[in-house]
Amino acid sequence: MTLIKVSQIWDIPDRQITPESVFMNRRKLLKGLMGAGITASLLPLTACRTTGESNSTLSPYQTPESIIQNPEFPQGDLQITPQSLSSQYNNFYEFGTTKSIQQAAQALPTENWKVEVGGLVKNPQTYDIDDLRKTFDLEERVYRFRCVEAWAMVVPWLGFPMRKLIEAVEPTSEAKFVRFTSWYDKEISTGPSWSPFSNIPWPYTEGLRIEEMANELAFFATGIYGKDLPKQHGAPIRQVIPWKYGFKGAKSIVKIDFLDTQPATFWNTIDANEYDFEANVNPDKPHPRWSQATERVISEGAPFTWPRQPTLPYNGYGEWVAHLYG
């Protein structure tokens, strides 16, 4: 298998890439329950927050030697970003809500992982993770990441474009949507214990229109910062949709179904008013409980010290995706 370093218009200079631990230290639960509704206290599974602790011992991130540049995509002046901080904690609601969820998430059984691809396709497939890595050449891409909670970061992902899977399974003309289902086992992923969370619609599911999945930016990540995805971040494979809010990225995917109708999805089922199906980053469309006009860029130090900047429509990727919504 050849790992390809691809330089594209979405690549971002190294000085803007978010430290690794800051990215991994994410999805902290809002403190307390606000009213009787579940969504007042829930955050999307891809939501992230950090400890706010400062650490000045950053190591520069360097692309591993095994990840080579594709000569068809010259790197130019782009520099790989500094190594990020080590992870400190990571919330993963299937395994609880504490800051030490990074340890609890190690219960995720990734051995002999299978991804079933079916529905309205001509060539249904069942891949194991090694099949995916061998079948689809991996490449590294640096993407902006925007959380629905109005913070932002930049991450180097390792994986392959979703369109390659589409080409492999050949959806029929009836296929209009795609549903992504995450791993779930109630005996292992015990989830939040208090009562407002008892009716969560597990397993986690997300969905796209097939045109969105076929867009060049839509990505399956099997790694991050030049390494395999950690369990607390959705190993061994997850979605990355950089022009949408982070909760649209299903983690630990086990099933992909091509459908003729729009599927029910996790957060949209819980509260469609707060988490719409499309979920494109839009500075002009506020969340019911906060503005989306600006975002804080995750960095060292306490959250109130993070620099604030304007939110970009489609998270800065309008050139690639705006035509999908015209």
Side-chain angles (χ1 to χ4, degrees), residues 238-258:
R238 62 158 293 166
Q239 291 176 268
V240 178
I241 315 294
W243 71 94
K244 294 181 179 289
Y245 293 119
F247 69 85
K248 290 295 291 184
K251 300 175 175 65
S252 302
I253 297 170
V254 294
K255 194 173 183 182
I256 301 169
D257 292 299
F258 289 78

Side-chain angles (χ1 to χ4, degrees), residues 146-152 290-292 294-297 308:
R146 176 57 155 81
C147 182
V148 72
E149 296 178 301
W151 55 259
W290 55 78
S291 171
Q292 298 288 19
T294 62
E295 60 195 21
R296 286 199 175 276
V297 181
R308 185 178 292 278

Side-chain angles (χ1 to χ4, degrees), residues 209-277:
R209 289 191 290 115
I210 196 168
E211 294 88 353
E212 295 175 312
M213 183 181 179
N215 186 272
E216 177 61 28
L217 293 181
F219 204 63
F220 285 120
T222 62
I224 186 172
Y225 293 100
K227 296 173 285 188
D228 290 344
L229 283 173
K231 291 185 177 182
Q232 68 270 20
H233 184 55
I237 182 169
R238 62 158 293 166
Q239 291 176 268
V240 178
I241 315 294
W243 71 94
K244 294 181 179 289
Y245 293 119
F247 69 85
K248 290 295 291 184
K251 300 175 175 65
S252 302
I253 297 170
V254 294
K255 194 173 183 182
I256 301 169
D257 292 299
F258 289 78
L259 309 170
D260 58 356
T261 57
Q262 179 175 309
T265 58
F266 188 87
W267 286 102
N268 186 250
T269 297
I270 291 173
D271 192 333
N273 185 47
E274 296 204 3
Y275 308 105
D276 63 275
F277 180 84

Side-chain angles (χ1 to χ4, degrees), residues 116-188:
E116 180 183 347
V117 186
L120 299 174
V121 298
K122 297 177 182 178
N123 302 314
Q125 301 286 337
T126 297
Y127 297 97
D128 64 29
I129 194 63
D130 289 334
D131 290 335
L132 291 170
R133 290 168 176 160
K134 293 175 182 177
T135 303
F136 307 109
D137 286 342
L138 302 186
E139 60 185 65
E140 185 176 68
R141 294 186 181 185
V142 176
Y143 279 160
R144 299 178 184 89
F145 184 96
R146 176 57 155 81
C147 182
V148 72
E149 296 178 301
W151 55 259
M153 59 185 174
V154 177
V155 182
W157 300 100
L158 182 64
F160 59 94
M162 289 187 180
R163 61 173 174 76
K164 291 188 176 182
L165 183 68
I166 294 177
E167 293 166 1
V169 300
E170 295 187 58
T172 68
S173 60
E174 289 80 17
K176 307 299 181 184
F177 294 88
V178 187
R179 179 178 60 217
F180 306 85
T181 303
S182 296
W183 172 89
Y184 180 72
D185 183 335
K186 65 180 180 180
E187 301 300 324
I188 300 174

